[in-house]
Amino acid sequence: MMNMIHKRNRRGFTLVELLVSASISVIIGAAMSFAISKVGGQASGGSQATALSQELKPSLDFISDEVQQASRLYGLGDFTSATLSGATGVQPVIGFYAPDVSTATTDDYKFMLFYLADRPDSINYNGPKVLSYYQDSTNTTITAANLPTQAVPTAINVSTGRVLADNLVAQTTTNCLTSQNTTNCINTSVVDTTKKTGIVYLKGTTTNMAGQQSLKTADQSLVVQTRITARN
Amino acid sequence: MRNHRGYRGFTVIELLVTISMIGLFASLALPSFAGLYGRQQLNQAASQIENAVLRGRTLALAKNQAMTLNITIPTAGQSTTYQIVTAANAILSSDTLPSQVAVSTSNGAGSTLTSIQFNARGVITTPAITATAIPMVTLTQNSNTRQVRLLSVLGKVKVVTP
């Protein structure tokens, strides 16, 4: 009898024991992987936002560098009568006349426009909007006396515009002059009455796997801004 | 007889079944490992190009002068060379891609891409990167392809598997 019991103990696990323990470990594993994937998702949202602000910063630096050559800034409210073509969903951010350094004539200016446009495809760019800049190929002659009253060009074709950044959301307001805050003025600029200084706001969005704007409001709150000054 | 049953070991049939099952699983798993080294080398080449673009921009900004990233594609079977040079043709960085990786380029406007030019502020002036004309370097090894796409004048690069 003693010998039987002894033998039984050494026999190892029964099939039922193995099946039960295997199914328990599968259940625990599934619960763990679900919890870990949730943490990972949150972390990737956070790192996307960090990457995005790092990406938008050079765009803002580029804008403020270019603006320094300008004499007068044109904000969103100055483009209401301008016809914008060359891309779908063009929304102006900031524009100005910059002196053309390639010619000796001092009165030669080229118009430069920073704008948002719909992303043309889903392969290359993320987010609903892409930030680009366009520089007029022809010179506009502006004398110092005319400069303060010079209007923006009536027709702007941005088909040759160069891309600066993607992952941006669309503008929601057409006039920021009266509401200078980051809630209303996103991806736009505010230019003060002297037309010499302004603020550029850029609002990025983290994206889902398809590169479209994330629907979570927490993912859409990334706003970077810079104060720009026309020094010329 | 019963006492000795536990120590009898495996029968030939059991061993054969086990070995043949191991063989079966191994032959199922093997094809997915076969291209591993090649794909690894291809991804490595793609990140080499990606890093070269970033380095070109960084050097232009750091030295405050225009930089050019030249990509020289030789005849088939030879290594592609890429160099970062200053406007005065001083070579600041030079490297090669693995010779097994075939390279072709496009400037996004129907021509090849032989150089990427940065101005003194690190902005890519040539090729023209517009939203609809994306310059790219295409890397191919065996049947695998990676496209290194230039997405913004500020040096944003994306590696795509077409």
Side-chain angles (χ1 to χ4, degrees), chain A residues 3 7 10 55 58-59 62 65-66 120-121 123-126 133 159-167, chain B residues 2-3 7 57 121 123-132 134 149-154 156 158 160:
Chain A
N3 195 24
K7 261 200 82 171
R10 288 188 52 162
E55 201 183 302
S59 302
F62 182 75
D65 273 4
E66 292 293 321
D121 58 67
I123 307 158
N124 297 308
Y125 296 108
N126 289 337
Y133 75 98
S159 58
T160 56
R162 310 275 177 100
V163 180
L164 288 173
D166 60 344
N167 281 311
Chain B
R2 273 186 86 90
N3 254 343
Y7 304 96
R57 175 174 154 81
R121 296 212 320 264
V123 176
I124 298 174
T125 51
T126 310
I129 304 168
T130 68
T132 47
I134 310 292
R149 300 182 181 210
L150 289 178
L151 293 188
S152 99
V153 293
L154 302 175
K156 182 172 182 175
K158 189 173 180 179
V160 174

Side-chain angles (χ1 to χ4, degrees), chain B:
Chain B
M1 188 64 187
R2 273 186 86 90
N3 254 343
H4 285 273
R5 196 178 157 79
Y7 304 96
R8 219 181 49 178
F10 301 110
T11 65
V12 176
I13 301 295
E14 283 168 351
L15 278 172
L16 281 178
V17 168
T18 314
I19 290 165
S20 60
M21 276 173 76
I22 290 170
L24 187 72
F25 287 128
S27 66
L28 284 175
L30 206 62
S32 64
F33 287 102
L36 195 67
Y37 178 69
R39 283 198 303 277
Q40 180 64 32
Q41 209 171 34
L42 194 59
N43 289 337
Q44 179 73 34
S47 50
Q48 268 181 272
I49 296 292
E50 196 177 356
N51 288 334
V53 173
L54 290 177
R55 183 146 172 76
R57 175 174 154 81
T58 313
L59 279 171
L61 284 168
K63 297 190 179 291
N64 195 24
Q65 51 178 293
M67 292 287 159
T68 306
L69 169 63
N70 287 320
I71 300 169
T72 315
I73 304 169
T75 49
Q78 306 276 308
S79 294
T80 296
T81 352
Y82 57 96
Q83 293 183 326
I84 299 171
V85 297
T86 63
N89 272 327
I91 299 166
L92 299 186
S93 159
S94 180
D95 212 339
T96 56
L97 295 179
S99 59
Q100 297 94 328
V101 176
V103 182
S104 67
T105 59
S106 157
N107 71 348
S111 299
T112 57
L113 176 73
T114 50
S115 68
I116 300 167
Q117 289 165 24
F118 301 85
N119 69 12
R121 296 212 320 264
V123 176
I124 298 174
T125 51
T126 310
I129 304 168
T130 68
T132 47
I134 310 292
M136 65 178 83
V137 177
T138 307
L139 306 166
T140 314
Q141 183 170 25
N142 299 328
S143 56
N144 296 311
T145 302
R146 299 284 181 277
Q147 288 174 344
V148 185
R149 300 182 181 210
L150 289 178
L151 293 188
S152 99
V153 293
L154 302 175
K156 182 172 182 175
V157 172
K158 189 173 180 179
V159 179
V160 174
T161 307

